[in-house]
Amino acid sequence: MRYIALVLLIANIGYFIWGYTRPKQQDPQASEPRQLLNNGLMLVSEFEAQAAALALENAGDPTICSIVSGFATVDDANGFILVAKGQNLGTLLNLTGELLPSQFRVYLPPEANRILATRALDSVSAAIAAAELEIETYLITRGPLAEGVGLGVFRSAEDAELVRIQVSELGFAPEIEEISRSNGEIQVVLRPLNSNQLDTAEWLEISDDRPDLTRTENLCETIAQASQFP
């Protein structure tokens, strides 16, 4: 037994020496660089480059819109919109808060100037008085309907239509305007059409006689889509 164990020990020592001293065979594929597995990992520089390219590709509208507030009535806001459109600005009326039922205004369309508007007011007032109708009349002095004649504001379309018919029978051509309302703030959103931002000179031009107005700015895409601006 002792000789068998001795032979096995010598054989193991010899195999160890042979394995350690023999030249190692080179793997033919070891010299070629191996492709990295697509495991979702990347270098920080690669990530930053791809992120920048993606941001450029998906960049939104960089135009700055102005949110103007401080209007007492929708008529006041519409008058401001008229001035802003004259400065080639996109405009959007924005009623915040909860929407309320609309009201309906009956009116005679605007005349070319104040003199003609006053004559129209006198004429329709005399005709209404002669017909003994209880319809108020007044001159509209601001807004898109400036130099028109107001014939009252009503809570229902039916009441407004009745007045329109009565005045039409007197030989006039009144129209009806729906007035949107809400319990929140009345705002106008301005969008520059020829630049990325409303400049100071443009703002001073459209707000010259409106010291109570305030303006905040934000990206137009976060406020309204371009297609919403008339």
Side-chain angles (χ1 to χ4, degrees):
M1 259 330 258
R2 189 185 333 176
Y3 295 107
I4 295 175
L6 185 59
V7 170
L8 290 176
L9 178 61
I10 294 173
N12 287 333
I13 293 173
Y15 180 77
F16 175 77
I17 294 174
W18 174 79
Y20 182 80
T21 57
R22 77 182 181 88
K24 295 183 179 180
Q25 294 182 355
Q26 185 175 3
D27 187 350
Q29 297 181 353
S31 60
E32 299 179 2
R34 299 180 60 186
Q35 298 294 328
L36 295 177
L37 294 177
N38 185 15
N39 57 5
L41 299 177
M42 68 174 64
L43 298 176
V44 173
S45 58
E46 293 177 337
F47 172 78
E48 291 177 346
Q50 292 189 19
L54 186 62
L56 182 61
E57 179 181 353
N58 297 327
D61 185 356
T63 304
I64 300 296
C65 279
S66 295
I67 305 174
V68 184
S69 55
F71 301 101
T73 65
V74 171
D75 276 350
D76 192 22
N78 285 332
F80 178 80
I81 286 175
L82 191 63
V83 175
K85 286 183 176 179
Q87 296 296 320
N88 199 29
L89 295 170
T91 60
L92 177 68
L93 179 66
N94 182 41
L95 301 181
T96 65
E98 181 182 354
L99 289 178
L100 301 176
S102 296
Q103 292 182 337
F104 302 86
R105 185 200 337 254
V106 185
Y107 66 96
L108 296 181
E111 298 288 348
N113 54 57
R114 182 60 58 87
I115 294 176
L116 294 178
T118 303
R119 290 177 181 173
L121 174 62
D122 293 341
S123 176
V124 71
S125 298
I128 289 173
E132 298 183 349
L133 297 175
E134 294 183 359
I135 299 175
E136 64 173 325
T137 59
Y138 53 92
L139 194 63
I140 302 174
T141 59
R142 299 191 67 174
L145 299 180
E147 313 306 347
V149 176
L151 301 170
V153 177
F154 305 90
R155 293 184 177 181
S156 70
E158 292 76 14
D159 291 342
E161 178 63 17
L162 177 60
V163 170
R164 189 196 68 80
I165 293 174
Q166 290 174 332
V167 176
S168 296
E169 292 174 347
L170 299 177
F172 300 91
E175 299 179 9
I176 297 177
E177 176 197 27
E178 182 176 359
I179 304 174
S180 300
R181 300 190 304 145
S182 76
N183 61 3
E185 190 176 47
I186 302 171
Q187 299 177 342
V188 173
V189 181
L190 300 178
R191 176 188 174 90
L193 300 181
N194 300 323
S195 63
N196 288 337
Q197 188 170 1
L198 181 69
D199 62 36
T200 303
E202 288 176 313
W203 169 247
L204 292 176
E205 182 72 23
I206 62 179
S207 64
D208 181 47
D209 60 342
R210 301 171 183 269
D212 296 332
L213 297 183
T214 59
R215 178 177 63 138
T216 57
E217 295 181 332
N218 206 337
L219 286 174
C220 291
E221 65 176 353
T222 65
I223 302 173
Q225 299 297 323
S227 59
Q228 293 180 280
F229 288 89

